[in-house]
Amino acid sequence: MKNLLEHMGIEPDRLHFSWISSAESTKFVSVVREITAKVKALGPNERFVKKEAKVA
Amino acid sequence: MSTYTENIQQIAQRLLKECRVEMVIGFRKGSMPLMNEPCVITQPEAVNQLVWDSNCGINLTHYLTNRKEKIGIVAKGCDSRNIVTHITENKIQREQLVIIGVPCLGMIDRRKINAMVEGDIQSVSETDDAVTVATRNGEQTFAKMDVLQQNCAVCVHRNPVIHDEMVADPVPEQNGVDQYADVAAIEAMTPDARWRFFDELLAPCIRCYACRNACPLCYCPTCFVDESKPQWVGKSQDPMDVRTFHFLRAYHCAGRCTDCGACERACPVGINMRLLTKKLNKDCLDLYGWEAGLSPDARPALDVYKANDPEDFIK
């Protein structure tokens, strides 16, 4: 899914997948930190966002 | 290829006379040039309707879904791979089918021809490697290679993968074609350029769903685009709704698509949505070594687990 979204032009750092056990609190924190840093660097998402409906 | 029609007719007649099948699904001449239409023959006397030429691009597997009868079906390479997919997905039983295999040299892209001739096409004739079209202004001949559908030009499975009868000896498979050159070209772009590329590609889409209706894989009783509780995707022509539809449709074909080209062929505005399905075909091949519909005994890439499945995308 990530591959096809990126093929369509979604930025590679926008979508993240991770597998974290409920016992892996430190991994959870580090993954969230990494993701927020990467997404903040990209800025607000402009893609796959529906703008207001066009009125003729 | 000139003997194909005759052989298909003979085989169909024999199958019907011997009551081995209740119907034969094949092609008959369409009411418009360059457009043959699917037909179902149930009487041995009617087999002379059946034809074969380079305008049989429609994928006949579409007509097999959930049938209970014994059926003879005319199948070129891609059709036969879709028949295998249908068997794998329990949409038809192998025992119900008599597959009349047709070694295929590619189908003509009518849009390419229409773009090159002036005036309405009145009739079309072809030899093994040339196509002649007649308009009011005279005749024009094209090399068949130049007017093939793009998916046929890069096809590497021209011969049926399963068959009970063959109408001719297998044709040589194409070696050394780069099947995925168009996908690779998109992969090489920046994300911004890719986004704009698909914006432009999908802009003419009118959401008619002809691509879905022509696709042999799209056999769900209710398609996700038609559901309203819940409504998975907006029904408007907002660019994001259009994009979501094409994205999800492509995903539903992941690991199943044989790149038969039925979707692109059916599109009234000529969108090449195969650039999405092909990307998934390429990923399936690169990541799992999987090509859809090559053997009824193999399980599809998306329903088997291997310990060495790539998982780079998971952190």
Side-chain angles (χ1 to χ4, degrees):
Chain A
M1 177 145 133
K2 190 167 160 64
N3 281 359
L4 190 63
L5 275 173
E6 283 170 15
H7 187 61
M8 284 181 109
I10 294 291
E11 304 92 332
D13 280 344
R14 185 72 69 185
L15 182 68
H16 300 262
F17 289 85
S18 188
W19 179 268
I20 308 171
S21 153
S22 58
E24 294 176 310
S25 55
T26 45
K27 184 178 175 189
F28 179 79
V29 171
S30 71
V31 168
V32 170
R33 284 213 172 109
E34 192 190 330
I35 291 175
T36 42
K38 281 188 172 166
V39 173
K40 273 182 184 165
L42 282 174
N45 180 35
E46 300 283 325
R47 293 170 189 174
F48 267 104
V49 178
K50 240 167 125 169
K51 306 279 171 0
E52 285 203 3
K54 275 184 219 153
V55 182
Chain B
M1 197 156 81
S2 50
T3 58
Y4 280 23
T5 297
E6 209 173 288
N7 292 352
I8 291 173
Q9 290 179 359
Q10 275 174 8
I11 294 168
Q13 189 168 45
R14 174 158 49 81
L15 294 176
L16 287 164
K17 269 193 179 153
E18 292 171 359
C19 294
R20 283 177 62 199
V21 297
E22 291 164 61
M23 60 170 89
V24 173
I25 305 178
F27 286 95
R28 69 177 167 216
K29 265 258 156 306
S31 51
M32 307 248 295
L34 296 169
M35 306 255 268
N36 286 346
E37 58 189 27
C39 74
V40 174
I41 304 287
T42 53
Q43 302 297 326
E45 303 79 53
V47 293
N48 55 4
Q49 286 182 38
L50 291 169
V51 295
W52 189 268
D53 55 27
S54 298
N55 306 304
C56 298
I58 294 170
N59 194 325
L60 295 179
T61 311
H62 197 49
Y63 302 95
L64 291 180
T65 310
N66 293 336
R67 300 302 301 219
K68 302 291 173 232
E69 304 91 335
K70 287 215 149 203
I71 300 173
I73 181 162
V74 177
K76 49 193 183 297
C78 48
D79 299 16
S80 76
R81 291 174 64 198
N82 277 108
I83 293 173
V84 168
T85 305
H86 254 56
I87 295 169
T88 311
E89 296 175 356
N90 279 324
K91 286 289 131 191
I92 192 90
Q93 300 301 315
R94 178 69 182 94
E95 301 72 46
Q96 282 172 264
L97 297 175
V98 178
I99 299 165
I100 306 167
V102 182
C104 173
L105 288 168
M107 292 294 146
I108 296 172
D109 185 341
R110 65 178 190 283
R111 294 195 184 95
K112 282 189 185 162
I113 291 190
N114 278 330
M116 287 192 283
V117 299
E118 278 178 38
D120 289 340
I121 296 168
Q122 290 168 334
S123 69
V124 179
S125 60
E126 60 176 292
T127 60
D128 279 347
D129 45 17
V131 186
T132 304
V133 297
T135 64
R136 217 164 57 181
N137 308 327
E139 287 192 347
Q140 263 180 285
T141 302
F142 305 100
K144 194 175 148 186
M145 265 177 61
D146 300 337
V147 293
L148 280 185
Q149 287 182 191
Q150 196 268 340
N151 63 313
C152 298
V154 297
C155 175
V156 293
H157 296 286
R158 294 163 136 191
N159 294 298
V161 292
I162 49 169
H163 56 86
D164 301 294
E165 309 268 351
M166 280 289 266
V167 302
D169 292 330
V171 292
E173 294 290 358
Q174 304 194 94
N175 290 320
V177 288
D178 186 0
Q179 280 191 81
Y180 296 112
D182 46 356
V183 178
I186 298 174
E187 284 171 347
M189 298 178 192
T190 64
D192 285 341
R194 288 202 291 264
W195 185 262
R196 283 196 301 275
F197 176 84
F198 281 104
D199 256 353
E200 276 170 37
L201 181 82
L202 301 175
C205 178
I206 54 170
R207 297 288 291 273
C208 68
Y209 304 139
C211 47
R212 172 198 70 181
N213 289 2
C215 178
L217 303 171
C218 285
Y219 53 62
C220 293
T222 308
C223 176
F224 73 100
V225 297
D226 297 325
E227 287 194 330
S228 53
K229 280 185 181 176
Q231 185 173 318
W232 305 105
V233 51
K235 293 173 190 296
S236 76
Q237 255 169 277
D238 184 280
M240 285 315 105
D241 286 341
V242 173
R243 203 181 261 261
T244 309
F245 160 63
H246 282 283
F247 173 73
L248 288 175
R249 196 195 79 84
Y251 232 89
H252 289 179
C253 304
R256 308 163 67 217
C257 174
T258 61
D259 201 29
C260 70
C263 46
E264 186 184 3
R265 191 183 172 88
C267 181
V269 290
I271 295 173
N272 181 6
M273 65 291 282
R274 289 176 33 253
L275 290 171
L276 294 170
T277 46
K278 261 184 100 172
K279 163 68 178 164
L280 292 168
N281 291 359
K282 179 169 182 283
D283 281 355
C284 273
L285 185 62
D286 292 348
L287 300 175
Y288 308 106
W290 169 259
E291 283 183 283
L294 293 186
S295 155
D297 305 318
R299 294 304 304 173
L302 291 188
D303 84 20
V304 287
Y305 168 74
K306 288 199 206 97
N308 62 351
D309 277 346
E311 50 181 22
D312 307 338
F313 66 99
I314 297 180
K315 278 199 271 292

